[in-house]
Amino acid sequence: MARVRLPPDFLGQLATLRSTPIVVGHFFYPMTRLLPDRSIATVVRDPVERAISVWEYLHWQTDHHDHQRLVSRDIRTIEQFAEDDFLAGHVRDNQTRLLGVEYDVEAIADALQAGDLELADANRLAAESESVPADAAMLERAKQRLKRMEVVGITEELAEFVRRLELALGLPPGSPVETDNATPAATVARRPQAYDESTRRRLIELNPFDAELHAFARELRVGEAMRAEGAKDA
């Protein structure tokens, strides 16, 4: 199994990814076309909870380069963070962009492998294509891609998603799901007091496409569960 920790890592480890049966991590959907014989699965997260998680992560991970940007730009609230021209890319309809963006990634990969592009230039071209703002067409593309995936889950039901993925891929049941980069428990416990309803409403306003995408993923999950129950009763 290979892991892509951040989207820019994908092109730099393409040879390894192509020779590995399972690839996990964070990358934009067009990158999946560079992998042969792929079955695709993903998890969609509530955009408000995701925004809060990223905001908190950049505070407790003090060695992260964007932690220093929060400090240098004097960003003190999550609303300022989600509205900042530079940092908002972390949370503003980010999942819609990850799943719905479209560009010619094959041409970039071919040029990289032929030696016509350096890795830094290939990553720059990919990043420019991936940074376009989300719109209705991108949201619809993301929905259609979700419908074609092997398994779709929501973060609130992560353990159940993993079990369904194991079943779909014919893998033996694994160990209990363990989270990585999890927010400290004490920080999570403070969330009800730290983020009031007005803050949550503002985060929804700033993530209209992700809010709709999360609802769509939940509907897919409910539909799948109903079909599974029907199959058992037949």
Side-chain angles (χ1 to χ4, degrees):
M1 183 176 73
R3 181 170 185 178
V4 181
R5 291 193 172 273
L6 293 171
D9 297 337
F10 199 100
L11 290 170
Q13 57 187 103
L14 187 55
T16 299
L17 301 180
R18 281 177 161 164
S19 63
T20 304
I22 299 176
V23 177
V24 300
H26 301 287
F27 46 91
F28 287 78
Y29 186 93
M31 292 289 183
T32 64
R33 299 199 297 266
L34 302 179
L35 304 179
D37 304 320
R38 60 195 180 274
S39 294
I40 306 170
T42 196
V43 176
V44 181
R45 189 170 189 178
D46 176 278
V48 173
E49 295 304 317
R50 185 180 183 279
I52 289 171
S53 179
V54 174
W55 165 248
E56 292 175 344
Y57 175 81
L58 292 179
H59 279 79
W60 62 268
Q61 283 284 7
T62 55
D63 59 344
H64 194 288
H65 58 274
D66 279 340
H67 172 82
Q68 301 305 321
R69 289 194 175 102
L70 287 176
V71 174
S72 65
R73 297 166 82 88
D74 196 30
I75 294 175
R76 303 187 181 189
T77 69
I78 191 171
E79 292 94 338
Q80 290 175 326
F81 169 62
E83 294 171 6
D84 184 81
D85 290 342
F86 183 86
L87 293 167
H90 282 292
V91 293
R92 292 280 291 274
D93 290 318
N94 183 269
Q95 296 173 107
T96 300
R97 292 192 303 107
L98 281 164
L99 290 169
V101 77
E102 182 52 55
Y103 66 99
D104 194 349
V105 66
E106 294 91 341
I108 294 175
D110 288 347
L112 175 63
Q113 292 187 304
D116 297 329
L117 276 179
E118 296 293 332
L119 179 58
D121 293 324
N123 282 336
R124 175 181 53 78
L125 290 173
E128 289 173 356
S129 300
E130 294 162 354
S131 64
V132 296
D135 57 20
M138 190 182 292
L139 173 63
E140 182 58 29
R141 194 181 301 119
K143 288 180 178 180
Q144 294 305 314
R145 287 170 172 172
L146 283 180
K147 289 171 67 174
R148 296 193 297 269
M149 288 187 187
E150 192 78 23
V151 181
V152 173
I154 52 177
T155 303
E156 303 94 293
E157 301 174 359
L158 185 59
E160 185 269 346
F161 163 79
V162 172
R163 299 289 87 84
R164 288 191 294 121
L165 183 60
E166 290 169 341
L167 183 63
L169 298 181
L171 300 174
S175 303
V177 176
E178 297 182 4
T179 55
D180 188 20
N181 283 334
T183 304
T187 302
V188 174
R190 290 194 294 269
R191 285 178 181 173
Q193 293 75 40
Y195 310 101
D196 59 20
E197 283 305 309
S198 64
T199 294
R200 291 176 177 273
R201 283 195 300 271
R202 181 57 181 154
L203 292 175
I204 292 174
E205 290 171 357
L206 293 170
N207 287 277
F209 297 117
D210 269 14
E212 186 171 341
L213 187 68
H214 179 258
F216 183 79
R218 182 180 288 279
E219 290 172 4
L220 287 179
R221 171 66 195 106
V222 170
E224 180 184 332
M226 292 176 63
R227 288 191 295 273
E229 285 298 318
K232 286 193 297 184
D233 295 338

